[in-house]
Amino acid sequence: MCRHHTVNFTATPVNGGTPTYQWYNGAVPVGTNSATFSSNTLSNGDVISVVMTSSLTCVSGSPATSNLVTMTVNPVLPVSVSITADATTICAGTTVNFTATPVNGGTPTYQWYNGAVPVGTNSATFSSNTLSNGDVISVVMTSSLTCVSGSPATSNLVTMTVNPVLPVSVSITADATTICAGTTVNFTATPVNGGTPTYQWYNGAVPVGTNSATFSSNTLSNGDVISVVMTSSLTCVSGSPATSNLVTMTVNPVLPVSVSITADATTICAGTTVNFTATPVNGGTPTYQWYNGAVPVGTNSATFSSNTLSNGDVISVVMTSSPTCVSGSPATSNLVTMTVNPVLPVSVSITADATTICAGTTVNFTATPVNGGTPTYQWYNGAVPVGTNSATFSSNTLSNGDVISVVMTSSLTCVSGSPATSNLVTMTVNPVLPVSVSITADATTICAGTTVNFTATPVNGGTPTYQWYNGAVPVGTNSATFSSNTLSNGDVISVIMTSSLTCVSGSPATSNLVTMTVNPVLPVSVSITADATTICAGTTVNFTATPVNGGTPTYQWYNGAVPVGTNSATFSSNTLSNGDVISVVMTSSLTCVSGSPATSNLVTMTVNPVLPVSVSITADATTICAGTTVNFTATLQLTEVHRHISGIMEQFLLETNSATFSSNTLSNGDVISVVMTLSRRAYRAVLQQVILSP
């Protein structure tokens, strides 16, 4: 609410009869004895409540205090608005953004004005690009708050200065547009409405030059296009930056003169004719002078031939160009140095790293060439080509009596006796014998601690050596037999045999694997449990036997020394007597055991007689007013035979729960009863009394 607004409070009583009221503002009594209270002097944060006293006689909670009403009292706020513009001096057509700043506007509404003309929308901002010189902008803001003064509020005035826009342009001229490469060209820019302009010159799209009305260059290329972009320094212009006309350059190159020569061969045999050819660049109709070293040779021709060249001769040519616009004329060619070789005799010989071998052994043959250069090879076994083009040949498939040779072709150009055939190497090849070994055991399934004998049978072993293994672990000695009484279940026995013969395969040889099954000697035992050992007479008790290492066991149950039950892991009885002792004898079905038959632990039974028990209850009242406390008492009922021990029973009842029950929350029709459970401790005490009493 706003300050000084009258607020009416109304109390709604429940079970008040003709109530009396006391209103409060916080802890201060206010108002009159009335169900309503009004005030126009409330302050922010005041808390209003009422205490009502009922006129009824049979009530609870009187006097009753109402809920609290906390007051929010708002002051009356002054409303105002101010506006700002992001620019007040602009060029015609520029967008100006105006922003209103409200004070106490809540969620205000706005009406913008250009002079007296409404413009814009209901927004805290107004933008325009159609302002004229001297326009005056303002806004009227209406606050959404309820407790305000001065609403609607009119803002300050913003007066605009709007300047006209001038067109900007630039043109350029060059002192020459057709030039020779390397000539300097001067370009001049003429601005319109540039003020104090800035310039960026371009060659095509590449920036060049400096910020100047002129640009000079001696590195122009044919087809270059020169332009300038001029940016005016004036404030209100259009077309700035302005791009000039384009000036396209025609640049003629200066042609470099050169000449190169080639020979149809540079490495030759003595007496061979060699032809040299000159290739001119930018020569027009050239003239030539050939040279061997510094000595002029040949004629004014693009070619020169000779069959009298010597090793190390250097041939070149000097070419003079006929065009007028060239550089580098006369031009001297590259040098061609001649290699003139004598005619050399060719031969080849071969060696082998072994000539007497076992079948399958690799033999390496090596060729040694004379005047082979980078030779090519064809190896032969007899007349059959073998191997590859290599100075070496290896084979592990040679047979007894094979004859190996090689034919070598020299890579040198000036040779005699090429291809050359080597000497012959004849092979002696002995056969290879396969080596193997097998083992047997006198038993593979044993009991722990039994000695097992293993025997190795060699093939092509000569005088062999042996290494026995249990898995990957070396065992035994260098012998054809191995014995052990420490084998474990899953052990894998093998032997590796190394032959003493020279030409064998598969040596060392690994035998077959013998996997051992070793059964342990297992201790046999049995234990029994009962689902109860202290029971009432006639109760069924279940006994369960738990065997250890029994396999599929057989059972004989006993009550004392008397056999009872069946051949079963369980035994049940409801005829047990006090002091009976139950046990079981279990016989294991396993073959490798100790302690079988095994006798279990003893279970001694406590069997108590059954006592009849009952209980009755009384109440100190059965017809009451709501909320009245009623006391209930439980009384233990015993037979005449046991009545003299009732005090003991009551004593145990008191020790455990309670023989009484009280309540003041009973409802009409409630039915009260008690369940009395005789505790085990009380039962034992009663039983003792029954047994000991005459």
Side-chain angles (χ1 to χ4, degrees):
M1 53 171 280
C2 297
R3 184 178 296 278
H4 303 306
H5 178 73
T6 297
V7 180
N8 299 307
F9 301 87
T10 302
T12 302
V14 177
N15 295 321
T18 305
T20 59
Y21 298 93
Q22 176 58 62
W23 292 88
Y24 288 90
N25 185 341
V28 179
V30 294
T32 61
N33 177 15
S34 171
T36 61
F37 164 62
S38 299
S39 176
N40 64 355
T41 61
L42 295 171
S43 300
N44 190 50
D46 281 355
V47 179
I48 307 301
S49 63
V50 71
V51 175
M52 183 272 286
T53 303
S54 175
S55 65
L56 302 177
T57 55
C58 192
V59 293
S60 63
S62 178
T65 301
S66 72
N67 56 300
L68 305 179
V69 176
T70 302
M71 299 305 299
T72 301
V73 181
N74 297 314
V76 177
L77 303 173
V79 175
S80 65
V81 65
S82 61
I83 63 172
T84 57
D86 54 10
T88 57
T89 299
I90 61 170
C91 300
T94 301
T95 297
V96 180
N97 301 305
F98 300 87
T99 303
T101 303
V103 175
N104 295 321
T107 305
T109 58
Y110 297 93
Q111 179 57 64
W112 292 86
Y113 290 91
N114 186 342
V117 179
V119 293
T121 60
N122 177 17
S123 171
T125 59
F126 164 60
S127 299
S128 178
N129 62 357
T130 60
L131 297 170
S132 300
N133 191 46
D135 280 355
V136 178
I137 305 302
S138 63
V139 74
V140 174
M141 183 272 285
T142 302
S143 175
S144 66
L145 301 178
T146 53
C147 296
V148 295
S149 63
S151 178
T154 301
S155 72
N156 55 300
L157 304 178
V158 175
T159 303
M160 299 303 301
T161 301
V162 181
N163 297 312
V165 177
L166 302 174
V168 174
S169 64
V170 63
S171 61
I172 61 172
T173 57
D175 54 11
T177 58
T178 300
I179 60 170
C180 292
T183 303
T184 297
V185 179
N186 300 304
F187 301 87
T188 303
T190 302
V192 175
N193 292 322
T196 304
T198 57
Y199 297 93
Q200 177 59 65
W201 292 88
Y202 288 90
N203 185 342
V206 179
V208 294
T210 60
N211 179 15
S212 172
T214 60
F215 164 60
S216 298
S217 178
N218 63 354
T219 60
L220 296 170
S221 300
N222 190 51
D224 281 355
V225 179
I226 306 301
S227 63
V228 74
V229 174
M230 183 271 285
T231 303
S232 175
S233 66
L234 301 179
T235 309
C236 293
V237 293
S238 64
S240 179
T243 302
S244 71
N245 54 300
L246 305 177
V247 174
T248 302
M249 299 302 299
T250 301
V251 180
N252 296 314
V254 174
L255 301 176
V257 173
S258 64
V259 64
S260 61
I261 62 173
T262 58
D264 53 12
T266 57
T267 300
I268 60 171
C269 298
T272 301
T273 296
V274 180
N275 300 304
F276 301 87
T277 302
T279 301
V281 176
N282 296 320
T285 304
T287 58
Y288 298 93
Q289 177 58 64
W290 292 89
Y291 289 89
N292 185 343
V295 179
V297 292
T299 60
N300 178 17
S301 171
T303 60
F304 164 61
S305 299
S306 176
N307 62 358
T308 60
L309 296 171
S310 300
N311 191 49
D313 281 354
V314 178
I315 306 301
S316 62
V317 73
V318 173
M319 183 269 286
T320 303
S321 176
S322 65
T324 55
C325 191
V326 293
S327 63
S329 181
T332 300
S333 73
N334 55 300
L335 305 178
V336 175
T337 301
M338 297 304 299
T339 301
V340 181
N341 297 314
V343 176
L344 302 174
V346 173
S347 65
V348 63
S349 61
I350 62 171
T351 59
D353 54 11
T355 57
T356 300
I357 61 169
C358 297
T361 302
T362 297
V363 179
N364 301 305
F365 300 87
T366 303
T368 303
V370 176
N371 294 321
T374 304
T376 58
Y377 298 92
Q378 178 59 64
W379 292 87
Y380 289 90
N381 186 343
V384 179
V386 292
T388 60
N389 177 17
S390 172
T392 60
F393 164 60
S394 298
S395 177
N396 61 357
T397 60
L398 296 171
S399 300
N400 191 48
D402 281 354
V403 178
I404 305 301
S405 63
V406 74
V407 174
M408 183 271 286
T409 302
S410 175
S411 66
L412 302 177
T413 52
C414 298
V415 293
S416 62
S418 179
T421 300
S422 72
N423 54 302
L424 306 177
V425 175
T426 302
M427 299 303 301
T428 300
V429 181
N430 297 314
V432 175
L433 302 175
V435 173
S436 65
V437 64
S438 61
I439 62 172
T440 58
D442 53 12
T444 58
T445 300
I446 61 170
C447 292
T450 302
T451 298
V452 179
N453 300 306
F454 301 88
T455 303
T457 302
V459 175
N460 293 321
T463 304
T465 58
Y466 298 93
Q467 177 59 63
W468 292 88
Y469 287 90
N470 186 342
V473 179
V475 294
T477 61
N478 178 16
S479 171
T481 60
F482 164 61
S483 299
S484 177
N485 63 355
T486 60
L487 296 171
S488 300
N489 190 49
D491 281 355
V492 179
I493 306 302
S494 63
V495 73
I496 294 179
M497 183 271 286
T498 303
S499 175
S500 65
L501 301 179
T502 309
C503 288
V504 293
S505 64
S507 181
T510 300
S511 73
N512 54 298
L513 305 178
V514 174
T515 302
M516 298 304 300
T517 301
V518 181
N519 296 314
V521 177
L522 303 175
V524 174
S525 65
V526 64
S527 61
I528 64 171
T529 57
D531 53 12
T533 57
T534 299
I535 61 170
C536 296
T539 301
T540 297
V541 179
N542 300 305
F543 300 87
T544 303
T546 302
V548 175
N549 295 320
T552 305
T554 58
Y555 297 93
Q556 178 57 63
W557 291 88
Y558 290 89
N559 186 340
V562 179
V564 293
T566 60
N567 177 17
S568 171
T570 60
F571 164 60
S572 300
S573 177
N574 63 356
T575 60
L576 296 170
S577 300
N578 191 49
D580 280 355
V581 178
I582 305 302
S583 63
V584 74
V585 173
M586 183 272 286
T587 303
S588 175
S589 67
L590 302 178
T591 54
C592 194
V593 294
S594 64
S596 180
T599 301
S600 73
N601 54 301
L602 304 178
V603 175
T604 302
M605 299 303 300
T606 301
V607 182
N608 298 314
V610 178
L611 300 177
V613 176
S614 66
V615 66
S616 64
I617 61 172
T618 59
D620 54 10
T622 57
T623 300
I624 60 167
C625 296
T628 302
T629 298
V630 180
N631 301 305
F632 299 86
T633 302
T635 303
L636 178 64
Q637 301 295 316
L638 299 173
T639 64
E640 288 298 325
V641 177
H642 304 125
R643 186 169 302 280
H644 65 282
I645 62 169
S646 62
I648 296 172
M649 303 304 298
E650 291 169 358
Q651 175 187 347
F652 282 106
L653 285 171
L654 291 173
E655 285 181 359
T656 54
N657 306 114
S658 175
T660 61
F661 162 61
S662 299
S663 176
N664 62 357
T665 61
L666 297 171
S667 299
N668 188 44
D670 282 355
V671 178
I672 307 301
S673 62
V674 70
V675 175
M676 187 273 289
T677 303
L678 190 60
S679 71
R680 182 172 297 178
R681 180 181 170 197
Y683 184 88
R684 286 199 301 268
V686 172
L687 180 62
Q688 185 179 10
Q689 282 294 107
V690 171
I691 294 170
L692 297 179
S693 296

